[in-house]
Each structure stands twice: as structure tokens, then as C-alpha cells.
Amino acid sequence: GAVVSQHPSWVICKSGTSVKIECRSLDFQATTMFWYRQFPKQSLMLMATSNEGSKATYEQGVEKDKFLINHASLTLSTLTVTSAHPEDSSFYICSARSIAGGNQETQYFGPGTRLLVL
Amino acid sequence: GQNIDQPTEMTATEGAIVQINCTYQTSGFNGLFWYQQHAGEAPTFLSYNVLDGLEEKGRFSSFLSRSKGYSYLLLKELQMKDSASYLCAVMDSNYQLIWGAGTKLIIKP
């Protein structure tokens, strides 16, 4: 089946630093990738939709200058949390939508990246 | 390797009951989640089970058996709006989420 990986799995950083999270589709190509935040036992909150080769579309209330998204290839999207603060501590999950035949609506989710900002 | 299995698609009738099964093999276990996802929307949290047994929340119930690596989501009094994909996800020993591929539930009148 389709696999989505995220790196790193865990990040602990000091307040004010920037953190980059990678999301890769390992065995399929994805024109669209999604970035979510999740707080404990809550629904995934969509932050932005990333399309390969174009600017990301951010959801209302998500600061695009703080959460920089780059989708440079069909298998890689990155989320950079700039000048991270403790309130940015969360579980960040990406997903990728396959373009190779089958159900175009199927999203494959990554394992998540835990960010703790001290 | 780590693996989550759930049926690809299920069909049920409005007003009826449906059970969506999920079996898992993971390195460690820190809980099992069920999410509902309508097309084009973000997954919505339904339930979290970490201990064996049945958790009931309105029309939805979730069951877990850790010894069997098995869970199910039970939906009662089905409504047309319950047509969606249902995702099973297990948190492993590293607190990473292992996702099932999702079960597309089709509700017919």
C-alpha cells in the first residue's frame, strides 16, 4: 500500500528557533499534500493544502508567514515552523493524495511529528 | 512490519446498524483512534480506546481487544450523513500514528 513518511518523528527546540518537517510519499506521486495539527483526542485541524509547484492554500487563521510550506516535487512537501513558540507545540500530521489511478479521493496519512517548544 | 487492516468499502441501509472492523499489528500500543472523514474535509475525531472494552458515545461505539489486536466501530440508527470514510489509526510505542487505509461507508435509503 501507499506509504507516507515524516521526518523527524520528534523535535524538541528552544523558543525562537525554526523547525522544518518533511513529508514524503515513498511509493507514489502526490500532486496534493495536506498539513494538519492535532491536539490530544481532538480532530485533525487542516492547516494548509500544498500543491506541487504552486503556493500552498492556507486555512483561515493559519499564519502563512509562520508556517512555511514548500512542495517542490511530487514526493516531498516541507512545513517550516518559523520562530517557534511554546504554543506551537503540537502533533503535526501530513497526508498525501495519490494521482496514480484508483480513487483520487484517497488520502494516505503520515505517522506525525511531535513538536515540543521549550 | 506494522499493519492496520480494515475493509475497503461497506454498504448499509439507513436506520440499520453497521460494524466496521479494524485489526492491527504494531510495535507497541498506545491507543487506537477512529476518525470520520467526509470527502474533501479533514478527519473528525470519533473515539479513542486504550483499555479493553466498549466505549459508547451516542450512536457510535468503539470496542477494543488488545490481546486480539482488534477493534470495531459500531454505528447505530444510520443516517445518510454517516456516509463517509472511517479511518482506524493506532499509536505505537514511539507515539507515532499508524493509519489504516480507511473504510468507505455507503448508506442507502
Side-chain angles (χ1 to χ4, degrees):
Chain A
V3 177
V4 174
S5 71
Q6 285 183 237
H7 177 80
S9 303
W10 282 86
V11 181
I12 301 175
C13 68
K14 293 181 179 180
S15 184
T17 59
S18 293
V19 176
K20 180 186 282 189
I21 303 170
E22 293 185 351
C23 176
R24 293 181 184 273
S25 55
L26 297 185
D27 51 2
F28 67 99
Q29 292 183 322
T31 53
T32 305
M33 289 185 172
F34 305 87
W35 286 97
Y36 299 90
R37 278 183 79 164
Q38 182 180 26
F39 295 100
K41 298 184 186 180
Q42 293 186 25
S43 301
L44 275 64
M45 184 194 80
L46 181 64
M47 298 175 66
T49 301
S50 168
N51 293 297
E52 186 264 338
S54 64
K55 291 183 179 180
T57 303
Y58 290 82
E59 297 299 301
Q60 191 172 9
V62 178
E63 298 175 60
K64 62 181 181 181
D65 294 330
K66 181 168 183 63
F67 297 100
L68 301 178
I69 291 172
N70 184 280
H71 193 161
S73 77
L74 286 171
T75 59
L76 173 65
S77 176
T78 59
L79 168 68
T80 301
V81 183
T82 61
S83 187
H85 291 285
E87 58 266 29
D88 298 323
S89 298
S90 189
F91 195 34
Y92 293 86
I93 299 170
C94 75
S95 71
R97 188 155 64 195
S98 171
I99 63 171
N103 183 357
Q104 291 283 316
E105 293 299 320
T106 301
Q107 285 181 261
Y108 300 96
F109 288 85
T113 296
R114 291 196 178 276
L115 171 63
L116 177 61
V117 185
L118 303 176
Chain B
Q2 308 205 92
N3 192 52
I4 308 282
D5 282 318
Q6 53 181 130
T8 304
E9 187 173 296
M10 298 182 71
T11 302
T13 304
E14 189 176 16
I17 298 173
V18 72
Q19 177 175 310
I20 303 174
N21 295 324
C22 172
T23 57
Y24 63 89
Q25 291 178 306
T26 58
S27 56
F29 180 83
N30 278 299
L32 185 145
F33 297 80
W34 282 97
Y35 294 89
Q36 179 192 62
Q37 186 178 27
H38 287 99
E41 298 180 12
T44 303
F45 170 80
L46 292 178
S47 66
Y48 171 70
N49 293 65
V50 67
L51 299 176
D52 290 350
L54 186 68
E55 296 268 351
E56 296 185 79
K57 192 185 294 185
R59 294 191 297 115
F60 293 6
S61 303
S62 56
F63 172 83
L64 174 68
S65 169
R66 288 172 297 171
S67 62
K68 295 181 179 178
Y70 167 70
S71 172
Y72 67 73
L73 179 70
L74 190 72
L75 292 76
K76 302 177 184 176
E77 301 170 18
L78 286 171
Q79 301 174 10
M80 297 303 293
K81 67 178 182 179
D82 297 330
S83 293
S85 285
Y86 291 85
L87 301 164
C88 171
V90 172
M91 188 162 282
D92 68 9
S93 56
N94 292 319
Y95 295 94
Q96 298 282 282
L97 282 173
I98 312 301
W99 294 86
T103 298
K104 184 177 180 181
L105 178 62
I106 300 168
I107 310 296
K108 295 186 175 179

